């Protein structure tokens, strides 16, 4: 790359430096490998999450997220996913 010197003028992350030396798009996963993606929240799940939050937010001394996780209709959601979705909403 004849213009790599221009890229050296700016701060780089380790991932960017790796791509510069190994070739661009080298960080992409090879074909055939699947990465587990978090399934998106449906409007029904968001509504249920909202209702459970408003129901359990006033409980003293209790863990709100644990109470929500125990009562979610869709199993398989992690604590982190629930917290992230609540913050996003």
């Amino acid at each position: 790359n004849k213009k790599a010197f221009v890229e050296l003028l700016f701060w780089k992350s380790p991932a960017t430096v790796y791509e510069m030396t190994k070739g661009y798009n080298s960080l992409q996963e090879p074909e055939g490998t699947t990465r587990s993606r978090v399934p998106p929240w449906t409007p029904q799940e968001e509504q249920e999450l909202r209702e459970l939050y408003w129901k359990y937010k006033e409980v003293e001394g209790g863990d709100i997220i644990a109470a929500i996780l125990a009562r979610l209709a869709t199993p398989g959601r992690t604590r982190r996913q629930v917290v992230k979705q609540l913050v996003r909403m």
Side-chain angles (χ1 to χ4, degrees):
N1 188 354
K2 295 179 182 178
K3 297 181 181 169
F5 68 91
V6 175
E7 291 186 7
L8 297 175
L9 297 175
F10 303 99
W11 287 98
K12 303 287 181 245
S13 67
T16 306
V17 173
Y18 181 83
E19 281 193 326
M20 285 174 60
T21 57
K22 301 293 182 183
Y24 292 100
N25 297 328
S26 59
L27 289 177
Q28 291 180 352
E29 294 182 9
E31 293 295 325
T33 60
T34 57
R35 189 176 182 181
S36 64
R37 299 252 183 231
V38 177
W41 289 80
T42 64
Q44 293 82 14
E45 288 175 326
E46 287 183 359
Q47 182 61 32
E48 179 187 16
L49 183 62
R50 188 175 290 112
E51 290 170 3
L52 287 171
Y53 173 75
W54 286 107
K55 182 178 179 181
Y56 293 107
K57 82 172 196 160
E58 299 296 328
V59 176
E60 290 293 325
D63 185 9
I64 298 170
I65 304 302
I68 291 173
L69 279 171
R71 288 157 184 87
L72 271 178
T74 308
R77 294 286 183 186
T78 64
R79 181 180 184 89
R80 180 179 224 160
Q81 290 170 347
V82 170
V83 169
K84 192 173 182 178
Q85 184 65 19
L86 283 171
V87 169
R88 190 186 71 73
M89 291 176 13

